[in-house]
Amino acid sequence: MDLLEISQSIRKLRLQQGLTVEQLAKKSGFSKGFISQVENFRITPSLKALNAISAALGVPLSAVLGSESAVPDYTLGSVEKGEEILRNDNALYNMRYLALAYKQLGRKLDPFIIEYRKSAIERPLLMHDTEEFFLLLEGDVEFFIGSNNKSEKLVAGDTIYLRADLPHRVQLAENCEFARAMVIYSQKN
């Protein structure tokens, strides 16, 4: 089961049907927060939950689970050509997520390039149930950890390794217009 592929399949099917997160939550019997966490691959839903979500979407479970083809030994990619995905209302915060290993089934890591641009809206603290490695490639950022009162200033080349379930967020440093980072999330066992 590939969590990223499942989350994006659910979001795509929901949007194709013109449903809001709230509407899908109501139809499936889950909370809006739960559906949002599933679509943003913050949690790993049970098979029972996936079955209820697929039923609410009116599709077979296989449509949500994605392809079941043989797992390749490797996939080639480029940091310049990642698969753009939607996550945590990223467009609202002027961010881009580019999945670098989207097609590698059965992977244990989810590497991304994340691009940050100035935004009028401050992103809230987020957390997820997997570990995270962050490498700032370009620009300067403030990396908030645990609360909005504690931040670390990062410059290109700096890294942070976070344990699971630690609230955090990133924002551009005061005089920075653009930043780019590689972020690697572990898959939940």
Side-chain angles (χ1 to χ4, degrees):
M1 182 184 317
D2 184 317
L3 185 58
L4 177 59
E5 188 174 349
I6 290 168
S7 69
Q8 295 304 289
S9 292
I10 291 169
R11 183 188 308 263
K12 183 179 176 184
L13 290 164
R14 177 181 61 76
L15 292 172
Q16 284 174 346
Q17 295 180 26
L19 295 173
T20 65
V21 171
E22 190 170 3
Q23 289 169 323
L24 178 56
K26 192 170 193 171
K27 286 179 75 171
S28 64
F30 295 108
S31 70
K32 180 180 173 184
F34 178 80
I35 296 297
S36 177
Q37 287 182 313
V38 169
E39 284 192 2
N40 290 295
F41 53 97
R42 295 262 177 232
I43 61 171
T44 304
S46 68
L47 207 47
K48 184 177 179 180
L50 289 173
N51 197 39
I53 292 169
S54 64
L57 290 166
V59 298
L61 182 58
S62 61
V64 170
L65 293 177
S67 66
E68 295 297 322
S69 59
V71 176
D73 290 334
Y74 65 91
T75 53
L76 294 173
S78 165
V79 295
E80 303 302 327
K81 297 179 183 173
E83 178 81 21
E84 188 163 3
I85 65 163
L86 301 174
R87 185 172 193 219
N88 299 318
D89 297 323
N90 58 302
L92 180 66
Y93 304 106
N94 217 3
M95 296 170 58
R96 279 182 76 206
Y97 279 83
L98 301 167
L100 299 178
Y102 188 77
K103 296 182 190 236
Q104 179 66 40
L105 301 177
R107 68 187 174 279
K108 298 198 182 329
L109 302 172
D110 280 321
F112 291 91
I113 293 294
I114 304 177
E115 296 176 347
Y116 304 89
R117 288 178 176 76
K118 286 285 185 192
S119 173
I121 303 171
E122 186 176 284
R123 192 172 191 202
L125 291 168
L126 298 172
M127 64 181 182
H128 37 84
D129 60 357
T130 61
E131 295 182 353
E132 175 181 333
F133 178 78
F134 181 98
L135 165 62
L136 188 61
L137 300 170
E138 182 179 343
D140 301 330
V141 299
E142 293 290 331
F143 201 109
F144 291 84
I145 305 166
S147 76
N148 284 316
N149 300 324
K150 179 177 176 16
S151 70
E152 299 289 340
K153 168 97 180 200
L154 301 181
V155 297
D158 287 346
T159 66
I160 291 185
Y161 190 100
L162 299 171
R163 65 172 171 76
D165 301 320
L166 184 62
H168 61 281
R169 71 180 177 86
V170 175
Q171 77 179 33
L172 290 174
E174 188 174 321
N175 294 319
C176 185
E177 297 292 320
F178 175 81
R180 192 169 192 228
M182 175 182 274
V183 179
I184 302 171
Y185 302 100
S186 65
Q187 286 277 341
K188 186 175 178 185
N189 293 331

